[in-house]
Amino acid sequence: MIQRQIKGRFAPSPSGRMHLGNLFSALLAWLSARSAGGDLVLRVEDLDPDRCRAEYAAQLADDLRWLGLDWDEGYERGGERGPYLQSLRTGSYAEAFRRLEARGLVYPCYCTRAERLAASAPHRSDGQSLYPGKCRDLTETERRRLEAEGRRPAWRVRVPDEDWAFTDGHMGRCTRNLLRDCGDFIIRRSDGVYAYQLAVAADDAAMGVTQVVRGRDLLDSTPRQLYLYRLLGLTPPEFFHVPLLTAPDGRRLSKRERDLDMGALRRRFTPAELTGLLAHLAGLLDRPEPVAARELAPHFSWDKVPRTDIAVEAV
């Protein structure tokens, strides 16, 4: 078997200032690729026009450079597989959607959010509701009636009642059932915006990404993306999901609550000090001490990185 050259990526959403948790994932993605002599792509996932801002994209690129994390192609740098803003790639998502539609694999869903939440489908232990397939088999007459009421449909992809097993490079063997764990999922919203699952699969394949390092909160997205890879005849990357950084009370760090964001961090730390803190949280250093990312790369190992979420005390 021919070993593929590693090509990693960091793909943040410009919906606010990056925080410590975002940087944790970025550093591990950078180290995983660089330690193997691989390349890195910076893609900006600005699909949501209501939340994403160009100024945040410029800011996150500046924050990454400040920390010493470079990239070989992508945002502000260019490359042969651009554009690297998802908002400029909707043509490729539309083509993927048309391919699925031509095979009868997608259908319009007219359910409102309230209707979805009120449906009698079982709920997962994490609180996420499961789509019960209410619109899966609507007749043409029923669809016309709903559209006459002014409802604009989202589009869902049909999923099989099938166990999906995959091996995460860090978390190990995982098994999910698409029908029981998520149900038919949305690939295009009712406002015409293509959903994350479709966009990220199409982009990673088009950009030649072979390794995806991202937060554990996206682990359950992996079977959906692997399913889309299969339907579209694309080669999937290898996935590595990393633990989340949490507040001492277990609350996940978030942009919305401005937990340890880069504005505050850059005022309090030098790049080497902040890299040392992140490396310590990742199990790469025994204690937080100043270090450059390039100094960590030769000694990086996934075996050192924790597999459970990491509580961050006062910084």
Side-chain angles (χ1 to χ4, degrees):
M1 180 179 178
I2 298 176
Q3 182 69 33
R4 289 191 289 175
Q5 169 73 18
I6 288 180
K7 188 176 190 180
R9 53 88 154 165
F10 184 53
S13 173
S15 56
R17 196 77 184 260
M18 287 195 298
H19 57 69
L20 195 67
N22 302 132
L23 296 178
F24 184 74
S25 293
L27 177 63
L28 289 175
W30 190 91
L31 288 172
S32 186
R34 296 305 192 210
S35 66
D39 292 334
L40 201 75
V41 176
L42 176 61
R43 183 175 71 236
V44 175
E45 299 195 337
D46 60 341
L47 275 175
D48 191 336
D50 297 328
R51 298 176 61 241
C52 297
R53 299 286 184 270
E55 57 267 31
Y56 291 146
Q59 196 172 59
L60 68 86
D62 182 67
D63 286 338
L64 291 172
R65 283 192 294 264
W66 178 84
L67 198 64
L69 304 182
D70 60 347
W71 55 96
D72 302 283
E73 65 179 272
Y75 178 73
E76 292 188 344
R77 188 175 179 89
E80 296 180 354
R81 304 200 186 198
Y84 297 93
L85 289 166
Q86 283 191 328
S87 58
L88 301 178
R89 299 184 61 84
T90 54
S92 64
Y93 311 147
E95 174 58 27
F97 178 86
R98 284 192 293 268
R99 290 170 59 190
L100 297 174
E101 185 180 29
R103 295 168 57 191
L105 295 170
V106 299
Y107 63 89
C109 173
Y110 299 88
C111 296
T112 64
R113 184 174 185 273
E115 287 171 337
R116 293 197 303 271
L117 294 176
S120 59
H123 283 68
R124 294 175 6 167
S125 59
D126 61 7
Q128 294 188 42
S129 59
L130 303 181
Y131 181 67
K134 179 180 178 182
C135 293
R136 180 187 265 236
D137 298 311
L138 290 178
T139 66
E140 188 61 32
T141 299
E142 290 171 322
R143 291 179 183 179
R144 284 199 299 267
R145 177 180 58 79
L146 289 166
E147 289 175 3
E149 294 174 359
R151 295 206 189 190
R152 293 190 300 172
W155 288 80
R156 294 181 181 271
V157 63
R158 301 175 186 272
V159 302
D161 185 0
E162 174 184 341
D163 287 338
W164 199 280
F166 63 97
T167 300
D168 183 83
H170 187 51
M171 294 297 183
R173 192 72 170 169
C174 302
T175 302
R176 302 286 190 274
N177 182 286
L178 288 169
L179 189 64
R180 295 197 298 269
D181 288 337
C182 69
D184 299 340
F185 57 92
I186 291 173
I187 59 171
R188 195 175 79 186
R189 300 186 335 194
S190 60
D191 60 1
V193 173
Y194 289 94
Y196 169 79
Q197 310 295 351
L198 180 65
V200 73
D203 285 346
D204 283 339
M207 294 176 185
V209 171
T210 66
Q211 184 183 93
V212 170
V213 177
R214 60 189 185 185
R216 178 195 59 74
D217 54 320
L218 292 171
L219 182 63
D220 283 345
S221 291
T222 306
R224 284 172 265 181
Q225 290 160 28
L226 290 173
Y227 179 55
L228 290 172
Y229 276 106
R230 185 176 76 179
L231 293 181
L232 294 168
L234 304 173
T235 301
E238 186 176 10
F239 292 91
F240 289 75
H241 288 85
V242 304
L244 302 180
L245 300 189
T246 67
D249 61 3
R251 176 176 50 84
R252 174 184 163 192
L253 302 185
S254 69
K255 293 177 185 176
R256 181 177 302 170
E257 298 175 37
R258 300 182 63 81
D259 286 295
L260 303 176
D261 77 20
M262 277 298 290
L265 293 171
R266 286 180 64 161
R267 289 191 294 270
R268 297 170 60 189
F269 296 97
T270 67
E273 289 170 340
L274 186 54
T275 301
L277 171 62
L278 292 166
H280 173 62
L281 293 172
L284 306 178
L285 293 178
D286 292 334
R287 59 185 182 276
E289 57 186 14
V291 66
R294 64 180 181 276
E295 297 175 85
L296 295 170
H299 312 290
F300 176 75
S301 170
W302 278 106
D303 291 337
K304 299 176 183 178
V305 180
R307 290 180 173 82
T308 56
D309 290 349
I310 302 164
V312 179
E313 303 297 332
V315 174

